[in-house]
Each structure stands twice: as structure tokens, then as C-alpha cells.
Amino acid sequence: HRLGWPALLGPAALAGPVAGVVLAAAALVSGGSLGAGRLAEIGPVPWQVAAVTTAVVAVGAVLGAAATRALTQSRGRAQR
């Protein structure tokens, strides 16, 4: 029994936004001040972390899921 493409790629695509939200929250709590003057604010920018994480994780998960599915299908056909 194999899952269809939408059932396979949907959760993979959803992994990106979930990871983006989690890492944006971590970035938000990790920033702060380190004294006065030039180091008044340090840390990552949460929305930038969310955007990059969402894109990288979603693309990677979708490509990985699709490649795994395609390679296992071709391997199954070759063994028959």
C-alpha cells in the first residue's frame, strides 16, 4: 500500500512552516541587549530566521520525500 503524491508531499511541505515558527520563537527569546552603545541589541532577526528556515526545510523535505518515493518505485519495478 503506497501513499499518493499529495499525501506524501503535504506533510513534507508543512514541515517548513512549522520549523520556521519554532526557530523564529527561539530567535525571539535569544536576542536582547548586551550593555549600552554599540551592543545595545544583539541576536538574530526572528522574521528572517522564519523565512529562511521555512524555505530551506520545506524545499529539502519535499525534494527528499519525492526522491525517496521515485527511487523506491524504480527499485521495486527493477526487482520484479
Side-chain angles (χ1 to χ4, degrees):
H1 177 297
R2 291 196 182 261
L3 291 174
W5 283 105
L8 178 70
L9 298 181
L14 185 62
V18 170
V21 168
V22 169
L23 288 182
L28 184 64
V29 298
S30 72
S33 64
L34 187 65
R38 294 181 69 150
L39 294 175
E41 285 294 322
I42 62 168
V45 180
W47 72 266
Q48 291 175 342
V49 171
V52 171
T53 301
T54 298
V56 169
V57 172
V59 168
V62 166
L63 288 176
T68 301
R69 171 75 181 265
L71 292 173
T72 56
Q73 281 182 341
S74 66
R75 176 175 274 174
R77 288 183 194 141
Q79 292 177 351
R80 290 184 190 170

